[in-house]
């Protein structure tokens, strides 16, 4: 086992597919696709064309590419909104000569991943008062407030997809359409349900970003950017290595919009988001598996793991609602110490600390095997 050789301890990850703990566990089919991809060389534009076909089939989008993560998808998507198919603008990013760099964002949707928009050269323009969160009110921003913030320098609208996100994407998309502006949706962790692969596009998003390393079960450093073909093609141009002979280069027909470009950009902002052939192959296989899986079976499998983690159960245990059920263990005042004891065990068990202030430890079934779920059940039983 490579980890033994490296002197790196493995752990049971019940904190979810978090990056800090290396994401999840890949299916053998996904790893095998990556291994096979590593054995030969290909043209990366052709590889992305294959990704485009797979993503189109899974999402209904006009086009899609594999990125090095959802964060990279947000960065490249923002770059596409600002540069369009203009290679000069691509070359200048993150500088924006014409000033059209503003992304309107509802204040309650601000999050640290939106830095990717700024890294690309964008500037976030906040609207709305998050009254719902602060307590004194019940309302959040309305679509008209988003509209009011649109001006000559607006490049797009950034939207964080969450079940509680307000205003509704549909309403924001209607505003954007009136102004001819794209809506860039960060839906990194909004899977399952698999229906969300299509939902945001159907609600009017122009670009949608998903993580490949979360529920999709793909390589940890993979993601998806999908949506309008011209914007996805622009994003691809800003990521591909284009040290090519311009006379002989032709875009794959999946990215036919690139035929309109007056020239090719040089290495730009997307160069730091490089994705390998292995990640693309792995993501395609993972995406196909995710879409083909039966939703009821997926839910039953996750629930069975939660039940296994609960062991004999009791009043201190509950199963949370939501697309991914979790075990909530009400430990009380010693919750943080208990988490430390779990982590110090052999192997260490990492759990979710999002509710530690209430004395609750969360156990997420996404990144654990069935055997590991049973092991968690035994360890909790021994410690409670
Ligand atoms: C996880 C997450 C990301 C980052 O995804 P990566 O695939 O790790 O780059 C971005 N945005 C949100 C909302 C996330 O939850």
């Amino acid at each position: 086992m490579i980890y033994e050789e490296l002197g790196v301890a493995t752990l049971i990850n019940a904190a979810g597919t978090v990056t800090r703990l290396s994401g999840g566990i890949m299916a053998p089919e996904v790893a095998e696709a990556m291994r096979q991809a590593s054995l030969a060389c290909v043209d990366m534009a052709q590889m992305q064309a294959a990704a485009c076909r797979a993503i189109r089939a899974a999402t209904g989008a006009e086009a899609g590419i594999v990125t090095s993560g959802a964060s990279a998808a947000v960065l490249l998507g923002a770059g596409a909104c600002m540069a369009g198919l203009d290679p000069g603008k691509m070359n200048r990013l993150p500088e924006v000569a014409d000033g059209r760099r503003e992304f309107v964002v509802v204040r309650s949707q601000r999050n640290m991943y939106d830095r990717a928009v700024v890294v690309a050269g964008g500037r976030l323009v906040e609207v709305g008062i998050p009254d719902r969160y602060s307590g004194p009110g019940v309302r959040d921003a309305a679509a008209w407030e988003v509209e009011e913030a649109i001006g000559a320098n607006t490049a797009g609208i950034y939207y964080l997809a969450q079940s509680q996100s307000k205003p509704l994407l549909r309403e924001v998309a209607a505003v954007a359409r009136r102004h001819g502006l794209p809506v860039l949706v960060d839906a990194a962790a909004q899977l399952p349900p698999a229906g969300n692969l299509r939902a945001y596009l159907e609600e009017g998003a122009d670009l949608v970003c998903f993580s490949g390393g979360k529920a999709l079960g793909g390589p940890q450093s993979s993601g998806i950017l999908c949506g309008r073909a011209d914007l996805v093609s622009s994003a691809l141009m800003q990521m591909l290595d284009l040290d090519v002979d311009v006379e002989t280069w032709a875009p794959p027909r999946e990215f036919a919009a690139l035929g309109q470009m007056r020239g090719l950009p040089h290495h730009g902002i997307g160069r730091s988001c490089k994705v390998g052939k292995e990640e693309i192959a792995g993501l395609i296989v993972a995406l196909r598996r995710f879409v083909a899986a039966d939703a009821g079976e997926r839910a039953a499998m996750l629930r069975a793991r939660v039940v296994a983690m609960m062991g004999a159960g009791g009043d201190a245990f509950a199963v949370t609602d939501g697309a991914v059920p979790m075990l909530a263990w009400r430990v009380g005042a010693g919750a943080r110490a208990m988490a430390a004891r779990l982590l110090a065990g052999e192997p260490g068990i990492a759990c979710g600390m999002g509710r530690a202030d209430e004395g609750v430890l969360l156990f997420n079934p996404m990144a654990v095997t069935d055997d590991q779920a049973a092991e968690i059940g035994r360890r909790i039983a021994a410690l409670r």
Side-chain angles (χ1 to χ4, degrees), residues 17-19 67-74 111-114 158 160-162 186-190 209-214 219-224:
T17 52
V18 296
T19 300
T67 64
S68 56
S71 175
V74 172
N111 67 95
M112 282 314 292
Y113 293 110
D114 66 30
Y158 167 90
L160 178 73
Q162 289 275 335
D186 181 351
Q190 299 309 299
C209 310
F210 294 106
S211 255
K214 293 179 181 168
Q220 169 58 191
S221 55
S222 71
I224 290 174

Side-chain angles (χ1 to χ4, degrees), residues 2 33 43 71 82 92 98 130 143 163 166 171 188 196 201 221 248 251 285 297 306 311 328 338 364 370 374:
I2 183 70
D43 182 314
S71 175
M82 289 184 284
R92 277 192 296 274
D98 67 3
S163 52
K166 291 278 171 57
E171 297 165 8
N196 280 351
L201 292 164
S221 55
T248 58
V285 171
E297 273 172 35
V306 172
M338 183 60 80
N364 183 313
D370 293 346

